[in-house]
Amino acid sequence: MAEENNTGPIVAAVETPAELKTSAAKTQRSPRRQKTTAAEPVRPTAKPRRYSQQERIEKLKRIETQVTEAKGTLKDAIKGAGISEQTYYQWKRTVKPVDQRDEKLLSAGDELADLVQLEA
């Protein structure tokens, strides 16, 4: 056991204010990044919406009519339809070949009718 009657110098155990300042200066750290709290809601990513072929055609026609009637720019019409520019151009590219195939079928039918007339 330690002696209770030990009356040695107590001053050596207590640090002076100057020593406290120097030790505090050495241990300065940059502040930590704050963690997100539970009060901040985490936004789930939006699930991509799938449009049917008919919905795509309707949106493309609506955009085209807005642009031709000079109600705004193409970008404004696309944003108004609720799709991105990339989606607009992809839809436009995929719809065009379908329209061209229909025209080719009609022209082939006209050629067949002309051939039947010639044979008669």
Side-chain angles (χ1 to χ4, degrees):
M1 290 226 159
E3 291 183 22
E4 294 181 64
N5 295 334
N6 189 0
T7 58
I10 300 175
V11 179
V14 178
E15 295 181 5
T16 61
E19 291 175 0
L20 286 174
K21 287 182 182 177
T22 56
S23 64
K26 292 180 183 177
T27 59
Q28 286 183 350
R29 293 183 180 174
S30 61
R32 290 186 179 183
R33 222 173 72 192
Q34 293 180 354
K35 295 181 181 180
T36 57
T37 61
E40 296 177 17
V42 178
R43 294 184 182 169
T45 57
K47 185 177 179 184
R49 168 109 160 64
R50 302 268 180 174
Y51 293 96
S52 68
Q53 189 67 22
Q54 185 64 29
E55 289 175 325
R56 291 178 184 187
I57 292 170
E58 289 174 4
K59 283 190 183 262
L60 289 174
K61 284 182 182 178
R62 188 173 0 150
I63 290 169
E64 292 298 323
T65 55
Q66 286 180 356
V67 171
T68 55
E69 293 175 358
K71 290 186 177 180
T73 62
L74 179 64
K75 288 184 179 184
D76 293 337
I78 292 170
K79 294 248 184 211
I83 58 174
S84 67
E85 286 186 56
Q86 295 167 343
T87 304
Y88 168 75
Y89 287 112
Q90 286 176 352
W91 288 359
K92 192 173 180 180
R93 186 183 62 216
T94 57
V95 169
K96 282 280 185 184
V98 173
D99 293 340
Q100 291 173 355
R101 285 187 218 137
D102 293 341
E103 291 174 8
K104 289 179 182 179
L105 292 176
L106 292 175
S107 63
D110 292 339
E111 290 176 10
L112 183 59
D114 291 338
L115 182 61
V116 170
Q117 276 184 340
L118 286 174
E119 287 180 3

